[in-house]
Structure formats: structure tokens, C-alpha cells
Amino acid sequence: TTLSTLAPVQRITDIPVFQTVTAMPDILGLQGAGNKRPANLFGTGENLNYIDTSFAIITETVKPKGDRLVVGMVYNQSEPQSVDAYERLNDLAAKLNIRLEALPLNSSADAQLVIRSLLTHDIDAFFANPDNTVFAAFETILKNCNDNGVPVFTSESGLVVRGAVAAYGADIYQWGYQSGAQAATYLKNGSIDGLQLEMVKIRKRVFNARAAAAHGLTFSNTGFEEVGN
């Protein structure tokens, strides 16, 4: 089950549930009495520590047009992981003397209107928060930002393949593979012995050469792996 369908774990107790591409239970509000996760919940999750590293890429590569860097983002108010990421980045931006301009985007159908509104705030860069609405509306977000000369950064390598400039984060395929391997072990053995909810293991720094060049940004010889085309 993915981030958008994790709620059923609160109702399903008689079979194992293997989560993927979502946060750990404490972030999702799935901790029960004694801060324990549901006993039948396995697979892989993520905390928000990687967000700091991803956001820092912007400060290392983008020069502000004004006195300080202005970064825009949208977040989904109905997704706990998205709200938590926004709150974490808001605190981090204040510490880094960055102005964070954020607007709620709860439906991909509203993406163009919201992104165009955000762009009127003269942002220097856009951070694509890894939530379902951003994933669904990414091409709309990307086109509007690119048309206005605003580079898009993120914390998910798959969005870099789709045109974002750079990221530090998990690869969605590898993340799913890690969860799938657990599910396969259960199906093979018919037992949950030895299985546990894990942190996603594979994270990497990646950049899209075409997107970077379009915004005059360089990542060669910086430890970033090139992806996309």
C-alpha cells in the first residue's frame, strides 16, 4: 500500500500490510497506545531528515535575485507527511534566512492556478514536496516554473527524471522493490517471522543535466549522479 492508501491499515488487522513510498507510522499518525505501530504493518518508510539535505541543495546552487533567497512550495493539507514536510521546511528556512512562500494545493486540478499565484511572489526556486498532489501535477508545476525561469528542486529522484533540476532522496523504484522483497518473503514462507517495518535504504544525489543547463546550474564533479535525458 502506498501513501494514499495507508489508512486501511487502521481497519485491517488480520493480514500483513506492506507499506511503500510513504512516511513512518509516527508521522502518519498511526502510532497506537505506547507509541507502537500496528502489529501487522511491514514494508518500508521514510522520516523527514532527508528533506533538510534536499532543501540545502537550493542554497548551494541558486543565487538570490534580492537580499535573500526566496523558495516557493505547495503542500497538501490532507496528507500528514506533506504538512509535516512544510512545517519542517518552514523552520529550516527561518534558520537559513530564506523566505519560504508556500500555498496549499489539495487537488492537482488546481495546480496551474496555485502555481501561477505562487510565481507572483518572485521566487528564486521551487521545492517540489514529495506528496501525491505534486506527483500528479508535476508537469504543470514544472512547465509554469520553467516558463518563468524558476528552477525546480525536490527530494525524490523520479521527479528529477521527469525534469526537476536535482534531488537528494529515495528512488521510488528501489523503494518499492525493498517493500516488495518483504512481501515476497511473506508469500514464500507464509510467516512474518523476521519481518519488520524498515527505513528506506537507498538514497542518492541526482541531477538532470538538461534541466540544470537550462537554468545555468552546474553539478559536474559534485558527487551527483546524472539521470533523465
Side-chain angles (χ1 to χ4, degrees), residues 72-87 89 100-107 114-115 118 126-134 141:
M73 70 175 292
V74 294
Y75 62 98
N76 190 326
Q77 294 170 307
S78 65
E79 290 188 20
Q81 181 181 4
S82 185
V83 174
D84 285 348
Y86 158 65
E87 291 175 348
L89 290 178
L100 185 66
E101 295 286 348
L103 292 175
L105 177 63
N106 300 327
S107 168
V114 173
I115 295 302
L118 187 64
F126 180 89
F127 185 79
N129 196 28
D131 66 43
N132 285 325
T133 306
V134 169
I141 293 170

CSV table of all heavy atoms in Angstrom, one decimal, residues 72-87 89 100-107 114-115 118 126-134 141:
chain,number,residue,atom,x,y,z
A,72,GLY,N,9.7,28.8,-3.2
A,72,GLY,CA,8.3,28.5,-3.2
A,72,GLY,C,8.0,27.0,-3.1
A,72,GLY,O,8.9,26.2,-3.5
A,73,MET,N,6.9,26.7,-2.5
A,73,MET,CA,6.4,25.3,-2.5
A,73,MET,C,4.9,25.2,-2.3
A,73,MET,O,4.3,26.2,-1.9
A,73,MET,CB,7.1,24.5,-1.3
A,73,MET,CG,6.7,25.0,0.1
A,73,MET,SD,7.4,23.9,1.4
A,73,MET,CE,6.6,22.4,1.1
A,74,VAL,N,4.4,24.1,-2.6
A,74,VAL,CA,3.0,23.8,-2.3
A,74,VAL,C,2.9,22.6,-1.4
A,74,VAL,O,3.8,21.8,-1.4
A,74,VAL,CB,2.1,23.6,-3.6
A,74,VAL,CG1,2.1,24.9,-4.4
A,74,VAL,CG2,2.7,22.5,-4.4
A,75,TYR,N,1.8,22.4,-0.7
A,75,TYR,CA,1.7,21.2,0.2
A,75,TYR,C,0.2,20.8,0.2
A,75,TYR,O,-0.7,21.7,0.1
A,75,TYR,CB,2.3,21.5,1.6
A,75,TYR,CG,1.6,22.6,2.3
A,75,TYR,CD1,0.6,22.3,3.3
A,75,TYR,CD2,1.8,23.9,2.1
A,75,TYR,CE1,-0.1,23.3,4.0
A,75,TYR,CE2,1.2,24.9,2.8
A,75,TYR,CZ,0.2,24.6,3.7
A,75,TYR,OH,-0.4,25.6,4.4
A,76,ASN,N,0.0,19.6,0.5
A,76,ASN,CA,-1.4,19.0,0.6
A,76,ASN,C,-1.8,19.0,2.0
A,76,ASN,O,-1.3,18.3,2.8
A,76,ASN,CB,-1.4,17.6,0.0
A,76,ASN,CG,-2.8,17.1,-0.2
A,76,ASN,OD1,-3.7,17.4,0.6
A,76,ASN,ND2,-3.0,16.3,-1.3
A,77,GLN,N,-2.8,19.8,2.4
A,77,GLN,CA,-3.3,19.9,3.7
A,77,GLN,C,-3.9,18.6,4.3
A,77,GLN,O,-4.0,18.4,5.5
A,77,GLN,CB,-4.3,21.0,3.9
A,77,GLN,CG,-3.7,22.4,3.6
A,77,GLN,CD,-4.8,23.5,3.5
A,77,GLN,OE1,-5.7,23.3,2.7
A,77,GLN,NE2,-4.6,24.5,4.3
A,78,SER,N,-4.3,17.7,3.4
A,78,SER,CA,-4.9,16.4,3.8
A,78,SER,C,-3.9,15.3,4.0
A,78,SER,O,-4.3,14.2,4.4
A,78,SER,CB,-6.0,16.0,2.8
A,78,SER,OG,-5.4,15.7,1.5
A,79,GLU,N,-2.7,15.5,3.7
A,79,GLU,CA,-1.6,14.5,3.8
A,79,GLU,C,-0.7,14.9,5.0
A,79,GLU,O,0.0,15.8,4.9
A,79,GLU,CB,-0.8,14.3,2.5
A,79,GLU,CG,-1.6,13.7,1.4
A,79,GLU,CD,-0.7,13.4,0.2
A,79,GLU,OE1,0.5,13.3,0.4
A,79,GLU,OE2,-1.2,13.2,-0.9
A,80,PRO,N,-0.7,14.1,6.1
A,80,PRO,CA,0.1,14.4,7.2
A,80,PRO,C,1.6,14.6,6.8
A,80,PRO,O,2.3,15.5,7.3
A,80,PRO,CB,-0.1,13.3,8.2
A,80,PRO,CG,-1.4,12.8,7.8
A,80,PRO,CD,-1.6,12.9,6.3
A,81,GLN,N,2.1,13.7,6.0
A,81,GLN,CA,3.5,13.8,5.6
A,81,GLN,C,3.8,15.1,4.9
A,81,GLN,O,4.9,15.7,5.1
A,81,GLN,CB,3.8,12.6,4.6
A,81,GLN,CG,5.3,12.6,4.2
A,81,GLN,CD,5.6,11.4,3.3
A,81,GLN,OE1,4.7,10.7,2.9
A,81,GLN,NE2,6.9,11.3,2.9
A,82,SER,N,2.9,15.5,4.0
A,82,SER,CA,3.1,16.8,3.3
A,82,SER,C,3.1,18.0,4.2
A,82,SER,O,3.9,18.9,4.1
A,82,SER,CB,2.0,17.0,2.2
A,82,SER,OG,2.2,18.1,1.4
A,83,VAL,N,2.2,18.0,5.2
A,83,VAL,CA,2.1,19.1,6.2
A,83,VAL,C,3.3,19.1,7.1
A,83,VAL,O,3.9,20.2,7.3
A,83,VAL,CB,0.8,19.0,7.0
A,83,VAL,CG1,0.8,20.0,8.1
A,83,VAL,CG2,-0.4,19.1,6.1
A,84,ASP,N,3.7,17.9,7.5
A,84,ASP,CA,4.9,17.8,8.3
A,84,ASP,C,6.2,18.3,7.6
A,84,ASP,O,7.0,19.0,8.2
A,84,ASP,CB,5.2,16.4,8.8
A,84,ASP,CG,4.2,16.0,9.9
A,84,ASP,OD1,3.5,16.9,10.5
A,84,ASP,OD2,4.1,14.8,10.2
A,85,ALA,N,6.3,18.0,6.3
A,85,ALA,CA,7.4,18.5,5.5
A,85,ALA,C,7.4,20.0,5.4
A,85,ALA,O,8.4,20.6,5.5
A,85,ALA,CB,7.4,17.8,4.1
A,86,TYR,N,6.2,20.5,5.1
A,86,TYR,CA,6.1,22.0,5.1
A,86,TYR,C,6.5,22.7,6.4
A,86,TYR,O,7.3,23.6,6.4
A,86,TYR,CB,4.7,22.4,4.7
A,86,TYR,CG,4.4,23.8,5.1
A,86,TYR,CD1,5.0,24.9,4.5
A,86,TYR,CD2,3.4,24.1,6.1
A,86,TYR,CE1,4.8,26.2,4.9
A,86,TYR,CE2,3.1,25.4,6.5
A,86,TYR,CZ,3.8,26.5,5.9
A,86,TYR,OH,3.6,27.7,6.3
A,87,GLU,N,6.0,22.1,7.5
A,87,GLU,CA,6.4,22.7,8.8
A,87,GLU,C,7.9,22.6,9.1
A,87,GLU,O,8.5,23.6,9.6
A,87,GLU,CB,5.6,22.1,9.9
A,87,GLU,CG,4.1,22.4,9.8
A,87,GLU,CD,3.2,21.6,10.8
A,87,GLU,OE1,3.8,20.7,11.4
A,87,GLU,OE2,2.1,22.0,11.0
A,89,LEU,N,10.3,22.4,6.8
A,89,LEU,CA,11.0,23.3,5.9
A,89,LEU,C,10.8,24.8,6.3
A,89,LEU,O,11.7,25.6,6.1
A,89,LEU,CB,10.5,23.1,4.4
A,89,LEU,CG,11.0,21.8,3.8
A,89,LEU,CD1,10.4,21.7,2.4
A,89,LEU,CD2,12.5,21.7,3.7
A,100,LEU,N,10.4,31.4,2.8
A,100,LEU,CA,9.6,30.3,2.2
A,100,LEU,C,8.2,30.8,1.9
A,100,LEU,O,7.4,31.2,2.8
A,100,LEU,CB,9.5,29.1,3.1
A,100,LEU,CG,8.9,27.9,2.6
A,100,LEU,CD1,9.7,27.3,1.4
A,100,LEU,CD2,8.7,26.8,3.7
A,101,GLU,N,7.8,30.8,0.6
A,101,GLU,CA,6.5,31.1,0.2
A,101,GLU,C,5.7,29.8,-0.1
A,101,GLU,O,6.1,29.1,-1.0
A,101,GLU,CB,6.5,32.0,-1.1
A,101,GLU,CG,7.2,33.4,-0.9
A,101,GLU,CD,6.3,34.3,-0.1
A,101,GLU,OE1,5.1,34.0,0.0
A,101,GLU,OE2,6.7,35.4,0.3
A,102,ALA,N,4.7,29.5,0.7
A,102,ALA,CA,4.0,28.3,0.5
A,102,ALA,C,2.5,28.5,0.4
A,102,ALA,O,1.9,29.3,1.0
A,102,ALA,CB,4.3,27.4,1.7
A,103,LEU,N,1.9,27.7,-0.5
A,103,LEU,CA,0.5,27.7,-0.7
A,103,LEU,C,-0.1,26.3,-0.7
A,103,LEU,O,0.6,25.4,-1.1
A,103,LEU,CB,0.1,28.4,-2.1
A,103,LEU,CG,0.4,29.8,-2.3
A,103,LEU,CD1,0.1,30.3,-3.7
A,103,LEU,CD2,-0.4,30.7,-1.3
A,104,PRO,N,-1.3,26.1,-0.1
A,104,PRO,CA,-1.9,24.8,-0.1
A,104,PRO,C,-2.3,24.4,-1.5
A,104,PRO,O,-2.9,25.2,-2.3
A,104,PRO,CB,-3.1,24.9,0.8
A,104,PRO,CG,-3.4,26.4,0.8
A,104,PRO,CD,-2.1,27.1,0.6
A,105,LEU,N,-2.1,23.1,-1.9
A,105,LEU,CA,-2.6,22.6,-3.1
A,105,LEU,C,-3.2,21.2,-2.8
A,105,LEU,O,-2.4,20.2,-2.7
A,105,LEU,CB,-1.5,22.5,-4.2
A,105,LEU,CG,-1.9,21.9,-5.5
A,105,LEU,CD1,-3.0,22.7,-6.2
A,105,LEU,CD2,-0.6,21.7,-6.4
A,106,ASN,N,-4.5,21.1,-2.7
A,106,ASN,CA,-5.1,19.8,-2.3
A,106,ASN,C,-5.6,19.0,-3.4
A,106,ASN,O,-6.1,17.9,-3.2
A,106,ASN,CB,-6.2,20.1,-1.3
A,106,ASN,CG,-5.7,20.8,0.0
A,106,ASN,OD1,-4.5,20.6,0.4
A,106,ASN,ND2,-6.5,21.6,0.6
A,107,SER,N,-5.6,19.6,-4.6
A,107,SER,CA,-6.1,18.9,-5.8
A,107,SER,C,-5.2,19.3,-7.0
A,107,SER,O,-5.0,20.5,-7.2
A,107,SER,CB,-7.6,19.2,-6.1
A,107,SER,OG,-8.0,18.8,-7.4
A,114,VAL,N,-2.8,27.7,-8.7
A,114,VAL,CA,-2.0,27.9,-7.5
A,114,VAL,C,-0.5,28.2,-7.8
A,114,VAL,O,0.1,29.1,-7.2
A,114,VAL,CB,-2.1,26.7,-6.6
A,114,VAL,CG1,-1.1,26.8,-5.4
A,114,VAL,CG2,-3.5,26.5,-6.1
A,115,ILE,N,0.0,27.5,-8.8
A,115,ILE,CA,1.5,27.8,-9.1
A,115,ILE,C,1.6,29.2,-9.7
A,115,ILE,O,2.6,29.9,-9.4
A,115,ILE,CB,2.0,26.7,-10.1
A,115,ILE,CG1,2.0,25.3,-9.4
A,115,ILE,CG2,3.4,27.0,-10.6
A,115,ILE,CD1,2.8,25.2,-8.2
A,118,LEU,N,1.7,31.5,-7.0
A,118,LEU,CA,2.9,31.4,-6.2
A,118,LEU,C,4.1,32.2,-6.9
A,118,LEU,O,4.9,32.8,-6.3
A,118,LEU,CB,3.3,30.0,-6.0
A,118,LEU,CG,4.5,29.7,-5.1
A,118,LEU,CD1,4.3,30.1,-3.7
A,118,LEU,CD2,4.8,28.2,-5.2
A,126,PHE,N,11.8,26.6,-6.8
A,126,PHE,CA,10.6,25.9,-6.3
A,126,PHE,C,11.1,24.6,-5.7
A,126,PHE,O,11.9,23.9,-6.3
A,126,PHE,CB,9.7,25.7,-7.4
A,126,PHE,CG,8.4,25.0,-7.0
A,126,PHE,CD1,7.3,25.7,-6.6
A,126,PHE,CD2,8.3,23.6,-7.1
A,126,PHE,CE1,6.1,25.1,-6.2
A,126,PHE,CE2,7.2,22.9,-6.7
A,126,PHE,CZ,6.1,23.7,-6.2
A,127,PHE,N,10.5,24.2,-4.5
A,127,PHE,CA,10.8,22.9,-4.0
A,127,PHE,C,9.6,22.0,-4.1
A,127,PHE,O,8.5,22.4,-3.6
A,127,PHE,CB,11.2,23.0,-2.5
A,127,PHE,CG,11.6,21.7,-1.9
A,127,PHE,CD1,12.9,21.2,-2.1
A,127,PHE,CD2,10.7,21.0,-1.1
A,127,PHE,CE1,13.3,20.0,-1.6
A,127,PHE,CE2,11.1,19.7,-0.6
A,127,PHE,CZ,12.4,19.2,-0.8
A,128,ALA,N,9.7,21.0,-4.8
A,128,ALA,CA,8.6,20.0,-5.1
A,128,ALA,C,8.5,19.1,-3.9
A,128,ALA,O,9.2,18.1,-3.8
A,128,ALA,CB,8.8,19.3,-6.4
A,129,ASN,N,7.6,19.3,-3.0
A,129,ASN,CA,7.3,18.5,-1.9
A,129,ASN,C,6.9,17.1,-2.4
A,129,ASN,O,6.0,17.0,-3.2
A,129,ASN,CB,6.3,19.2,-1.0
A,129,ASN,CG,6.2,18.6,0.4
A,129,ASN,OD1,7.1,18.1,0.9
A,129,ASN,ND2,5.0,18.7,0.9
A,130,PRO,N,7.4,16.0,-1.8
A,130,PRO,CA,7.0,14.7,-2.3
A,130,PRO,C,5.7,14.2,-1.7
A,130,PRO,O,5.6,13.5,-0.8
A,130,PRO,CB,8.2,13.8,-1.8
A,130,PRO,CG,8.6,14.5,-0.6
A,130,PRO,CD,8.5,15.9,-0.8
A,131,ASP,N,4.6,14.7,-2.3
A,131,ASP,CA,3.3,14.2,-1.9
A,131,ASP,C,2.5,13.9,-3.2
A,131,ASP,O,2.9,14.2,-4.3
A,131,ASP,CB,2.5,15.2,-1.0
A,131,ASP,CG,2.2,16.5,-1.7
A,131,ASP,OD1,1.7,16.5,-2.9
A,131,ASP,OD2,2.3,17.6,-1.1
A,132,ASN,N,1.3,13.2,-3.0
A,132,ASN,CA,0.6,12.7,-4.1
A,132,ASN,C,0.1,13.8,-5.1
A,132,ASN,O,0.1,13.6,-6.3
A,132,ASN,CB,-0.6,11.9,-3.6
A,132,ASN,CG,-0.3,10.6,-3.1
A,132,ASN,OD1,0.6,9.9,-3.6
A,132,ASN,ND2,-0.9,10.1,-2.0
A,133,THR,N,-0.3,15.0,-4.6
A,133,THR,CA,-0.8,16.0,-5.4
A,133,THR,C,0.4,16.6,-6.3
A,133,THR,O,0.2,16.8,-7.5
A,133,THR,CB,-1.4,17.2,-4.6
A,133,THR,OG1,-2.4,16.6,-3.7
A,133,THR,CG2,-2.0,18.2,-5.5
A,134,VAL,N,1.5,16.7,-5.7
A,134,VAL,CA,2.7,17.2,-6.5
A,134,VAL,C,3.1,16.2,-7.6
A,134,VAL,O,3.3,16.5,-8.7
A,134,VAL,CB,3.9,17.5,-5.6
A,134,VAL,CG1,5.2,17.7,-6.4
A,134,VAL,CG2,3.6,18.7,-4.7
A,141,ILE,N,3.4,22.0,-12.8
A,141,ILE,CA,4.3,22.8,-11.9
A,141,ILE,C,5.5,23.1,-12.7
A,141,ILE,O,6.0,24.2,-12.7
A,141,ILE,CB,4.6,22.0,-10.6
A,141,ILE,CG1,3.3,21.8,-9.8
A,141,ILE,CG2,5.7,22.6,-9.9
A,141,ILE,CD1,3.5,20.9,-8.6
